[in-house]
Amino acid sequence: MSEWDNKQIAAQGASVADDPASALTLEQAVAHITATDPRFAVTETDIRGQRYPVFANAPAHLREVLQSVESVYGERDVLIYRDERWDYPRLVDEVNRLAGALADLGVQPGERVALAMRNYPEFPLLLLAITAIGAVVVPMNAWWSGEELAFALEDCGARMVFADHDRYQRIEPFAQRLGLTLFAVRDVKGEHNYSDLLAGATRASWPTVPIATDDDFAVLYSSGSTGRPKGVVLTHRGLVSAVYSLIMLRLLPALMDPDAPASTRPPCSLVVTPLFHVTALNSNLIQGLAAGATLNLMYKWDPEEAIRVINAEQVTRFVGVPTQSAELMETARRLKQPLPSLEFIGGGGAKRPAAQVGRLADAFPAASIASGWGMTETNALGIIISGAPYVENPEAAGRLTPPLQEMRIVDEQDRPLPPGEVGELLVRSAANMRCYLNQPEATAAAMRDGWLYTGDMARANEDGLVYIVDRKKDIIIRGGENIACLEVEDALYQHPEVVEACAFSVPDERLGEIVGAMVVLKSGSGVGEAELKACVAEHLAHFKVPERFWWQDGPLARGATDKIDRRAIRAACLARLDPGKPDTGNVADTDKPDTNKNTAASAAQGN
């Protein structure tokens, strides 16, 4: 947004400020809030050689966010896990004791400390403690294999890791080789234990180590098209910019529809997606903390348990991948539980099927159904749509979240495209990542003149409504988990009988997408589906293992540059799933028999 646009919107907001009963446009509502609420006042500053709009009065870093909400919480709980509860004094006490203990162990500002665990309360407690002393938190994907964990730990340079039972077992075999101090968390005991660290910590005052707002906050790993996960380096300013933009977004509906019913319940969130992903970490956990919400953690998704927690704790906000909201809806219907406390049902991690939007709105009439587009690289900030506009436009991704972001849709020559035309989506804001860790070339390709090249293909209409239509990157999004096609192919090539392999997304009603693969084997090979799945599982997390296989005797299709033509191969394979479509590729006429099991039968049934 240009400086002129900001001035025009500010003038519009001032003209309606004296008549709060009037329904404002989005632009007027944004202008009114930024002009009248000091939390969201906007100024400009230089960040890494580029000038950006920023919040003038927001906390400088995550420690200040936690300090700023003491009076907001009062006697309410901050964190709940099963029958364990943390009110604000207990949470701050444990965070500060852990921070002191980490400092006593020699953890320095800027040093990276890794967390490898599921959604236990130790995760947010450690995250707040690590960042409170100026260190950098590195959440590890809990589904990763030992091989993937070793790569990320070596890549980020962390020397201290906190891990729960399963992750501890995977990391322990190489911990000494990488010089790791491995702390056991909750359901496992080791030489070093989280419980002992907390029990022996006595210092409970706020750390005083200085933290600059542009210091690093976290490194989150995101699968990219290069095959190996990329470490996305996020700063405190980026985090706060995203979180406060999302909090401001909550204030807009009341200004745009003064007749809308006001909430009568304290904010309360259910965190069901993994905290090692930016949706749960930033959009849910830290945004909830900054907004004074009670945060309920779920270790593992279970729709019946989610319903129990929602009713028992009067949860107002639910954010999950589309599969989870669909399962919540179906289970609520089966159990005859209307879940009246829910005011917001958001979707992230993957696009929600359009048909699901209206069904959710009918099932939960008191809740605003929402969906959003964001990236690890943007601190989860991006595009969002909710309520009636979403029901009316279920295919849309939404509108750009104000007030700090700018957006472009460009062609291959970086020329801005007019409304309706498809091009690459670019976003620019202080919330964007600092860089990809240890990957200057990838950083330079993705970040140019302050603009993040997202790799997503999009179009926008005259009203600014954005539709994500495709991805440049070869990424499969399975139930919110990003999977690089190249890393699946690399794992398939580990099998000595595989000559060529091509991985791609296969539509799936429940998960959105699953992993499919076309494989060429050595002549006369008896290798089948089960053996290849086992091979991939030795190197990658279970969700990256192909669930559908196609087989071919000759070379895979290639394009003009002699690269494997992934799109053509995918189209040909998917055509075989739909008998009404022509088979346009060079796919073998029959599925390859599996010497371990009848693969042709299981493949035909989608098993």
Side-chain angles (χ1 to χ4, degrees):
M1 188 176 292
S2 70
E3 184 178 352
W4 184 88
D5 289 331
N6 280 326
K7 288 178 179 177
Q8 289 295 105
I9 291 173
Q12 292 173 356
S15 69
V16 297
D18 295 332
D19 186 11
S22 300
L24 309 186
T25 66
L26 173 64
E27 291 77 11
Q28 289 171 337
V30 170
H32 180 64
I33 291 173
T34 55
T36 60
D37 191 330
R39 294 176 300 170
F40 306 111
V42 176
T43 185
E44 289 189 348
T45 194
D46 289 323
I47 306 171
R48 297 183 293 278
Q50 297 287 330
R51 195 149 187 88
Y52 295 91
V54 296
F55 290 119
N57 304 313
H61 44 73
L62 183 53
R63 188 176 72 203
E64 279 193 5
V65 171
L66 181 58
Q67 291 172 312
S68 71
V69 292
E70 179 177 7
S71 61
V72 177
Y73 277 106
E75 300 300 316
R76 290 186 298 112
D77 289 324
V78 180
L79 188 65
I80 301 173
Y81 177 75
R82 297 179 178 174
D83 60 350
E84 302 173 54
R85 292 175 178 266
W86 283 258
D87 59 13
Y88 185 86
R90 180 187 173 188
L91 182 93
V92 169
D93 174 72
E94 291 192 13
V95 166
N96 285 337
R97 286 164 57 202
L98 286 167
L102 291 170
D104 289 343
L105 289 172
V107 176
Q108 298 295 311
E111 183 175 341
R112 300 182 187 118
V113 180
L115 305 180
M117 66 185 75
R118 297 283 292 272
N119 283 9
Y120 284 130
E122 288 84 353
F123 192 116
L125 292 167
L126 280 163
L127 177 139
L128 292 167
I130 291 164
T131 57
I133 57 173
V136 181
V137 66
V138 187
M140 300 274 110
N141 190 314
W143 314 132
W144 278 344
S145 66
E147 186 175 317
E148 292 165 303
L149 287 165
F151 164 78
L153 286 167
E154 193 163 12
D155 182 60
C156 75
R159 290 293 172 261
M160 183 178 293
V161 186
F162 290 83
D164 64 10
H165 181 274
D166 288 356
R167 271 47 64 178
Y168 191 96
Q169 299 299 323
R170 294 174 206 169
I171 294 171
E172 190 176 29
F174 59 79
Q176 185 174 359
R177 175 175 64 85
L178 295 186
L180 302 175
T181 301
L182 183 58
F183 277 84
V185 175
R186 185 161 288 247
D187 54 353
V188 62
K189 293 294 182 182
E191 181 182 356
H192 307 284
N193 298 286
Y194 171 92
S195 56
D196 296 336
L197 185 69
L198 179 60
T202 57
R203 295 194 305 172
S205 58
W206 288 105
T208 58
V209 58
I211 303 172
T213 190
D214 289 312
D215 284 350
D216 293 346
F217 144 71
V219 178
L220 271 71
Y221 279 85
S222 176
S223 291
S225 58
T226 57
R228 284 289 197 179
K230 294 198 290 284
V232 180
V233 181
L234 304 174
T235 67
H236 284 272
R237 190 198 297 274
L239 171 72
V240 171
S241 296
V243 164
Y244 272 72
S245 294
L246 294 172
I247 292 174
M248 197 191 88
L249 200 63
R250 297 190 189 191
L251 306 179
L252 297 177
L255 294 173
M256 298 169 68
D257 183 8
D259 296 327
S263 174
T264 58
R265 295 182 173 90
C268 184
S269 292
L270 181 60
V271 182
V272 299
T273 54
L275 287 169
F276 50 78
H277 282 327
V278 72
T279 298
L281 183 62
N282 291 5
S283 300
N284 211 346
L285 181 81
I286 298 175
Q287 183 197 170
L289 182 68
T294 299
L295 302 156
N296 294 267
L297 299 185
M298 283 191 72
Y299 169 81
K300 182 180 181 181
W301 171 244
D302 179 336
E304 290 193 11
E305 174 63 10
I307 287 171
R308 185 196 69 77
V309 174
I310 290 168
N311 285 329
E313 302 297 339
Q314 293 294 283
V315 169
T316 60
R317 188 177 182 87
F318 175 93
V319 178
V321 297
T323 302
Q324 292 170 323
S325 53
E327 291 180 355
L328 181 75
M329 174 177 62
E330 295 305 321
T331 306
R333 281 177 172 161
R334 176 171 56 82
L335 298 178
K336 296 180 172 58
Q337 296 287 332
L339 307 181
S341 67
L342 282 181
E343 299 172 355
F344 181 91
I345 300 176
K351 186 178 184 296
R352 177 181 280 120
Q356 190 187 105
V357 180
R359 289 198 288 264
L360 283 168
D362 291 341
F364 304 109
S368 176
I369 311 304
S371 181
W373 170 94
M375 303 173 70
T376 305
E377 288 88 340
T378 68
N379 266 291
L381 187 63
I383 296 165
I384 196 166
I385 189 169
S386 63
Y390 187 30
V391 175
E392 295 163 6
N393 303 276
E395 295 283 358
R399 288 182 169 82
L400 197 68
T401 303
L404 305 183
Q405 294 188 104
E406 299 175 75
M407 179 187 80
R408 289 178 182 169
I409 295 175
V410 302
D411 64 14
E412 292 289 343
Q413 286 74 44
D414 284 348
R415 294 175 299 205
L417 292 170
E421 292 197 24
V422 174
E424 184 173 4
L425 175 65
L426 279 56
V427 290
R428 188 179 193 276
S429 85
N432 286 351
M433 69 172 183
R434 179 171 69 79
C435 67
Y436 288 121
L437 184 65
N438 303 325
Q439 297 196 40
E441 291 183 1
T443 301
M447 297 287 292
R448 303 178 222 168
D449 297 324
W451 290 93
L452 174 68
Y453 285 65
T454 69
D456 285 314
M457 305 299 287
R459 61 180 172 85
N461 65 18
E462 294 280 359
D463 296 328
L465 199 59
V466 180
Y467 296 77
I468 305 294
V469 299
D470 203 350
R471 290 191 297 275
K472 268 189 166 183
K473 303 172 183 178
D474 294 321
I475 293 291
I476 301 163
I477 303 180
R478 180 189 184 277
E481 293 284 344
N482 285 3
I483 304 164
C485 292
L486 288 180
E487 66 177 345
V488 177
E489 292 163 7
D490 287 345
L492 285 166
Y493 281 121
Q494 297 296 316
H495 196 289
E497 295 293 303
V498 173
V499 177
E500 288 190 327
C502 176
F504 49 84
S505 65
V506 177
D508 182 80
E509 188 170 315
R510 178 173 178 269
L511 295 168
E513 294 176 347
I514 58 175
V515 182
M518 163 67 80
V519 178
V520 177
L521 299 173
K522 291 180 179 178
S523 179
S525 174
V527 171
E529 178 180 309
E531 188 170 337
L532 288 184
K533 285 184 175 182
C535 175
V536 174
E538 291 179 6
H539 302 280
L540 300 178
H542 68 89
F543 67 86
K544 301 178 183 179
V545 176
E547 297 177 52
R548 286 299 311 263
F549 281 83
W550 286 261
W551 312 93
Q552 185 164 297
D553 291 329
L556 295 180
R558 280 172 161 74
T561 61
D562 205 40
K563 292 182 179 179
I564 288 176
D565 191 342
R566 193 182 312 280
R567 289 193 177 188
I569 293 168
R570 178 180 184 271
C573 291
L574 295 188
R576 299 194 62 210
L577 295 178
D578 185 349
K581 293 182 180 179
D583 186 357
T584 57
N586 56 349
V587 185
D589 291 335
T590 59
D591 288 307
K592 185 183 187 308
D594 190 335
T595 56
N596 301 299
K597 287 188 178 181
N598 189 337
T599 303
S602 63
Q605 298 170 21
N607 294 331

